Amino acid sequence: MALVDGPGLALSDDVIAGIRPEAVALRPIGAGDLTATIEDIEFLGSETRIALTHPAAHGLAAIVAGSANLALGQMVDVSIPENDRLLFNAQTGKLEKEPQQNSETRIRQNTASGIGPKAPFHLNLSTEPAQKEP
């Protein structure tokens, strides 16, 4: 997950935005939230991971479908949808805002209640063969 200082996204100094690479979209210069420089391009078969640098961002990357016709050192704008941003308190690191839960949000969250039968758990770290219970 990339971290972007709040002011880099026109947010307050009190927050840091967290963003997953699949939510970052590349745009023409002047059409996004940040202008970044392409640092690395890694073709992964069905998709391409693009590592980006920006003074306000740490670990910024985008994932695009298929191959990308881009060059190292090229400047691009990136768009980071508000619905996909996680906002953290810059001082404490505590999560203040989760991504908006709607059909367009691509981040799945575990909604299991934790109530219900538990699966049996047996762990034997011994090198001795397990003994059958009477």
Side-chain angles (χ1 to χ4, degrees):
M1 174 180 296
L3 298 176
V4 181
D5 297 333
L9 294 171
L11 301 171
S12 77
D13 287 334
D14 299 336
V15 297
I16 295 173
I19 189 73
R20 299 187 194 290
E22 58 271 14
V24 175
L26 301 181
R27 303 280 183 238
I29 297 292
D33 298 310
L34 296 171
T35 300
T37 304
I38 297 175
E39 181 178 60
D40 189 37
I41 302 169
E42 183 179 6
F43 179 63
L44 302 171
S46 64
E47 61 189 20
T48 301
R49 183 183 182 280
I50 301 153
L52 303 157
T53 58
H54 183 277
H58 311 281
L60 186 60
I63 294 179
V64 297
S67 62
N69 187 18
L70 300 166
L72 296 179
Q74 180 179 345
M75 297 189 72
V76 294
D77 265 18
V78 294
S79 177
I80 304 172
E82 289 184 31
N83 289 348
D84 292 324
R85 298 176 187 178
L86 287 94
L87 299 183
F88 297 93
N89 182 297
Q91 301 302 316
T92 67
K94 182 179 175 189
L95 181 64
E96 293 188 352
K97 179 197 164 284
E98 294 187 32
Q100 185 173 343
Q101 295 299 300
N102 63 37
S103 59
E104 295 179 40
T105 301
R106 291 176 293 253
I107 300 172
R108 261 188 27 192
Q109 295 189 357
N110 183 359
T111 57
S113 66
I115 300 172
K118 302 279 187 217
F121 178 76
H122 300 285
L123 179 63
N124 181 3
L125 297 177
S126 159
T127 56
E128 300 293 321
Q131 303 265 333
K132 287 192 175 187
E133 293 182 24

